[in-house]
Every structure is written in structure tokens, then in C-alpha cells.
Amino acid sequence: MGAEKEAMGYAKMPDDCVFAMDIGTRSIIGMVGKVEQGKLCVTAIVKEEHDIRAMIDGQIEDINQVAKVAAEVKKKLEDKVKFSLDQVYVAAAGRALRTQHTSYTMDLTGQQVITEEIIRNLETGALTLSEDEFERTNDQEEDRQFYLVGYSVCQYYLDHYPISSLLGHKGQNLVAEVISTFLPGEVVNSLYTSMQKAGMEVAGMTLEPIASMNAAIPKNLRLLNLVLVDIGAGTSDIAAARDGSICGYTMATIAGDEVTESLMKTYLIDFETAEALKIGTGQEETLTYTDVLGLEHTISPSEVMETADLTIQSLCKQIAEKIIEVNGGTPSAVFLVGGGCKLTKVREYVAQYLEMDLNRVALGGNNFSIHAMSKEYDIKDPEYSTPLGIAISAALNLINDSFYIKLNGQHAKLFRSGKLTARDVLMMNGYGYKHMMSRSGQNLIIKVDGKRTVIPGDYAVPAVLRINDKPAGISDLVEAGDEITFEPASGGRDGSSCLQDVVSWDDRGQILWENQELHLGTTALVNGVLGSAVQQLNPDDEITTCRIYTVADLIKHARIEGTVLVNGTPASSDWNLENGDVVTKQDLSAIQAAVLPAEPKSEPREKLVFQINGQKQSFDPKRSGSPYYLMDMLEPAHMDFSKPEGIIALKVNGANGGFQTELKDGDAIEIYWLEKKPLNNP
């Protein structure tokens, strides 16, 4: 590509030239200029319409189509200026813009002289609060990533009195009111991708309402309460200024396309024909069009505007409502820019709905000459507000010369005008304060046997920031050509613990009490449910320790009254229980009666046969239909629990069983004391 341009006589772009591109809903306008005598001198302008509706309300829908038209604009401009245009300045649409108003208060210890560091800390606190409030109020869009792309301080207060600058004053109570602006990541990425596909690199980015404001309302006029309205095809962007700074942004979702669509419905024509009629109202004495039925018509511009009048009134009414909403009332004056402001009676209707003198509502092109000029073009056209504003911002360093800044080896995405700090760069590239400010892990707070227990979180690992390989702070200014390396802060891990970490876990097996298996040793309940040793605990869990080692522990746990038998033997309270012990309060028949329901008498049925300690025995099926269990075989096996001879062994078909192991017809059963071999008594 470079060789091709050289063959065509294209030179490298001069350092004093800027190339701006306005990616609009209906068209793309490219503008080239250079700085002369402190102003932008515009040397080339090219406008190309989109072939299809590749933009919806100012936001890119079809990246390839936008890239195609952008490449055409770039090529035609290069043919005009005879040098390469590879670095472009652009602006993001106001449709995607989100704003957050925040007031933050800082109290100093005693009366102090206010330094730059104190002011930075005040603004940092305001931005932190702004991010938190934005995330909370925009939770319906939690799947979208928003960048904090800039902020403006609307007002400072010193000891409850408004003040324009805090620096050098003495005071104790400080307040900063800020307006923060956020853009969704897809808006930024689609612009960058479109420009890259068109063979260009984004040199800098601003916001469309800021760009228009820089062209139409210079900073020295912003002490007045002024409002700018940029009426495009898809949206009407609105910015308000007072006391020297921009104090609010908003937009109306109605603009020039609504007028076009009203003509489509009235005259039965397609969008392109309706757009031509709308544009032609200010250019021709009579207009000719063909409707969808193939019939040709001739109509006067005044008739077209009468047809569109109700839609224009609706547009102006919504704009007026949005102005009052963002400005908090009627402003001192309103500047209208953008192609839509040239529609008939727009000035009159905006003034009417704002109840303002018509002379206080003006087309914004008259102020363009404060910062720009041209020998070849009439740059007073209000349609040029955005591309001219982008070019002015770039040429006069209102957009930081930031494309030379690298972040972790990559070109940083930067959006805001003016001087930049490392904090600004990080925030514009997807990092938030949670990445810059380390946070220790949260403590895990639980209750163990009614006592509050705290498991502390880990300490955080602080962020590492270097500018040009030197340690730096987030408030340090960055310049063109700087290289930033950043390792985000690593938050400490939250406190965590498993059950065995807070309870002296000691599981020694099981005992059988009243047909219920109980864990022997030290275990625990978590919120009333038996836990496991490796179970992870959660905040506010309540743990109750269960200790069963002796008969006394069991009596306390199960609230037993009366004599306790261990394997049929009366046991004292200090009796040490062992795995497999059977603990009862009654004799064997009472145990069976408690565990298994009594069987009503029934007619003889098919017998069940079990081989008990090598000897076959027959049993009637239970009338209740329930199965036989190993416990039912204790008496047939002639086990005498009044004279225990060790720990009882239970087996079914050679495998170890339990008292409640279910039996099947033909099972081979072994029941004996471990110290003795299977009994084989009749």
C-alpha cells in the first residue's frame, strides 16, 4: 500500500495536519486541516452517504459497510491533499453515552491549606463513588462493559460555600460535584475496528457532544448558561454548560430520520426518495418524486414541510423537554447544530416550547470562525459541527496527543480531552479503581457453639505502576510517547475454612442407639444438619459440636433416662463406647418392638428360608409385608446379650452387615461374638 501511494505522489502526512472523521447515521464526513495562526485551517472536506442503513441512531451496526464508506472518504481526501491519511481522530456517539452526577465530601483534620494532592484525593473519592453508583443504577445492563471515559467538576464547595478553585485556600470541609461519563465497550471497539478495516489507526477519540461544543461554544463563553443541540439523523445530542464547564449531557431519540419516515408514510415512497424530498425543500422550487406504485408526482417544498410539520413540532418539543431536564430549567441561550437544525421552523418551535425569545435560539455555525477558517469551504454550515469540532479538538490539543502512549506494550485507547494522568489512561482502557486500589479479603464470620468466630481474609497485593520503567503513581501526568506498564492489584482472598478447621474433628465410627446410627467421637451440625469434615463454611453458619465418647456423653446428647445397656450389659456413665456398640434401654424383645412394627396374625403363607450359622431355618413372611433384617436373626442365632463375650459380628453371604441390613430368601447369615467362631447350636 505504501509503494502504491508513493507511485501516486502521496507523501507522508505533515505533522501540523489533522484528519478528522464524523461517523454519522446517514453519512460520513471527513475533514483535513492544519494549524495556522492559532486556528484550524480546513483544506479538504469529503462527504459520502451510506449505501445501506449501516448505522442506527448513531451507533455502528454493520462494521464492514461503515469501513467501506470510510475508506472511500479517506481515498477521496488523499486524492485532494496528496498525502497519506493513516491517523484519524473520531468521536463516539451520544446515544451510547451514560452520565452519573455525584457529590463527594471530604473532611480535613483542622484548617489546612488545600494542595493539589488534596484536590486529587477529593476527585478520586468522587470518581470512586461515581463508579459505584453507576454500577448500582445500571445493573440492568450488567452484561455490558462500560468504560469511565472522563469527568468534569461542576462545582467545588469550601466550608459549604461554592468556589471555582480550591487550590491554595484554607478550609476543613471540601465538596466536589462531578459529572462522569461512561461508554459501553462495544461502541469504542466498533469504531476502532471500522477504522482499522478502512486502513486507518485511531489517533484520538472524543465524544460527539464534546466535539460539537468545542466548535460551537468556545470555553470562554461557557461561563454563561448555554445549551448546544446537535440534531443529526438518528439522535439529537444535547450538552449544557455553565460556570465555565460542561455540566450535563443527554439526548433525544428523535431526529431527522423521523421527519424522513413521516414523508415515507404520507407519500408512499422509500427512505431514499423521502430523504431527497426533505433535503430538496431548501434547494428547489418544485420537487418531483415517484411513489411505490410507479406514479410520478410534482409537489412544492412548502407542501412537503407542511406534511412534516407535526413531526418537526414533536421533535422540537422533545428537545425542549430534554434541555430543561439536563439544564434544570430554561438556559440563557441555545445553539442548534447538525444537519437537522436546518429544517424549517426548528428554531421557532424550540424557542416556543422553551418559552424563550427567538433571538436566544441560534444556529451554531457563527462561532466556528473563533477556532477555524477555510479559504475553500463555507465552514459555517451547522452540519459541520461534529467533524469540525473533532478537528479543532485535535489541532488545538483539546484532544490529548495520546496515541503515542503505550499501555503494557499496546497502543492505549484514550477518549478524553485535556491533560491525562496515569489514572485516566487506565480507566479508559477497562481498568477500574478495584484494579488500582488493593483490598484485603473479607473476614469469614461464623458461630461455633454460640460463640462468634472470625476467620480473617488474606492481605491484598498492591498494584504495580511504572511509567517509562520508573515507579509512578496514578496521579502522575503522562505525555505523548510514554510507555506505561501496569500490574493490577490482587485482592486478598476472602477468609475460608472447612468444618474440621474449627472443630476438633474425631470420627471414631458408629454406635447403634434405638435403631439410630450415631457418630462416635467429635462431629458437628452445620445449621442443624450433620456436616462432613471437609465441608466448606459460609458466612453466618452456626456450628454445634457433637461429642460422644462415653455413656455420659450419649445420655446428654440423646437425653436418655433410665438404665443404659451396652451390648446387653448395664453400663455406668463413664463407660467408654466403641465402634459397633449397641446401646439399649430395654431387652432384645423391647428393642425389636421399638424398631419393627408388630405383625398382626395372618394365614400361613409361603415360607422364607435363611441359613443361620450353617443351619437352615424357615420363617413366615411378615403380615405387614416388610422385609426381615439382620436384627430379626439375633434370637434365632441364640445370642445371649445378658452375657456378652466381645463385639458382635454380623455377616450376610460372607459380607459384613449391619443391624438393619435387609435379608432375602436363601441368604446365608453369620452372627457371633468376634472372640468365638460361629455358633452351630440347634
Side-chain angles (χ1 to χ4, degrees), residues 159-230:
D159 292 335
H160 311 293
Y161 288 97
I163 192 169
S164 60
S165 174
L166 294 170
L167 187 64
H169 289 277
K170 203 176 222 184
Q172 184 172 0
N173 180 268
L174 312 181
V175 176
E177 292 182 356
V178 302
I179 175 173
S180 305
T181 54
F182 298 82
L183 277 178
E186 66 266 21
V187 172
V188 177
N189 293 331
S190 63
L191 270 173
Y192 270 76
T193 302
S194 298
M195 296 301 98
Q196 185 180 27
K197 284 180 174 288
M200 293 173 282
E201 183 179 356
V202 176
M205 181 182 287
T206 185
L207 300 169
E208 285 186 358
I210 291 178
S212 293
M213 183 74 83
N214 286 338
I217 305 180
K219 196 166 186 178
N220 63 327
L221 298 181
R222 296 178 194 172
L223 289 171
L224 303 173
N225 182 200
L226 306 177
V227 169
L228 174 83
V229 183
D230 186 351

Side-chain angles (χ1 to χ4, degrees), residues 208-482:
E208 285 186 358
I210 291 178
S212 293
M213 183 74 83
N214 286 338
I217 305 180
K219 196 166 186 178
N220 63 327
L221 298 181
R222 296 178 194 172
L223 289 171
L224 303 173
N225 182 200
L226 306 177
V227 169
L228 174 83
V229 183
D230 186 351
I231 307 175
T235 62
S236 298
D237 294 328
I238 301 168
R242 71 163 66 89
D243 299 326
S245 65
I246 298 173
C247 61
Y249 304 103
T250 189
M251 67 148 192
T253 56
I254 183 172
D257 278 356
E258 273 70 23
V259 177
T260 305
E261 290 166 3
S262 71
L263 298 178
M264 290 174 62
K265 296 173 184 177
T266 301
Y267 298 122
L268 293 179
I269 52 181
D270 60 27
F271 189 89
E272 286 71 23
T273 304
E275 186 74 7
L277 277 184
K278 182 179 74 174
I279 295 172
T281 55
Q283 300 175 354
E284 305 290 342
E285 293 184 3
T286 60
L287 301 169
T288 301
Y289 69 92
T290 301
D291 64 22
V292 295
L293 301 175
L295 301 176
E296 187 174 287
H297 304 268
T298 300
I299 192 171
S300 69
S302 60
E303 289 179 87
V304 175
M305 295 318 300
E306 285 178 13
T307 300
D309 190 66
L310 287 177
T311 304
I312 294 174
Q313 287 190 53
S314 177
L315 165 65
C316 295
K317 183 179 180 182
Q318 287 196 38
I319 287 174
E321 290 171 351
K322 288 292 185 179
I323 288 174
I324 292 172
E325 176 186 310
V326 74
N327 191 61
T330 302
S332 302
V334 175
F335 291 90
L336 303 177
V337 296
C341 78
K342 294 186 286 186
L343 291 168
T344 302
K345 293 189 177 180
V346 166
R347 282 184 61 236
E348 288 85 347
Y349 286 140
V350 169
Q352 175 185 323
Y353 288 118
L354 286 173
E355 299 181 357
M356 291 177 65
D357 189 316
L358 179 60
N359 293 328
R360 294 293 183 97
V361 180
L363 299 183
N366 291 332
N367 286 327
F368 292 171
S369 60
I370 294 177
H371 289 315
M373 62 180 180
S374 180
K375 299 173 184 177
E376 294 86 2
Y377 301 93
D378 178 13
I379 61 170
K380 292 183 180 180
D381 188 335
E383 188 176 13
Y384 291 152
S385 62
T386 298
L388 191 61
I390 299 170
I392 288 172
S393 299
L396 303 184
N397 203 29
L398 301 178
I399 296 177
N400 190 274
D401 196 17
S402 55
F403 61 95
Y404 291 115
I405 294 173
K406 286 189 175 182
L407 175 60
N408 292 336
Q410 301 293 322
H411 285 302
K413 295 178 181 177
L414 304 172
F415 320 114
R416 193 160 57 86
S417 59
K419 294 181 179 180
L420 289 170
T421 65
R423 176 185 61 199
D424 297 327
V425 176
L426 294 174
M427 292 171 65
M428 293 174 193
N429 286 269
Y431 294 107
Y433 280 100
K434 61 185 177 183
H435 301 107
M436 304 178 205
M437 315 296 281
S438 54
R439 180 188 68 83
S440 297
Q442 292 184 348
N443 295 336
L444 173 65
I445 301 176
I446 58 176
K447 281 187 178 180
V448 179
D449 293 330
K451 182 180 179 181
R452 185 174 182 269
T453 302
V454 178
I455 293 91
D458 292 343
Y459 290 111
V461 177
V464 177
L465 176 67
R466 302 179 73 85
I467 299 178
N468 301 325
D469 207 29
K470 294 180 180 178
I474 61 172
S475 297
D476 290 355
L477 292 176
V478 293
E479 306 291 342
D482 281 350

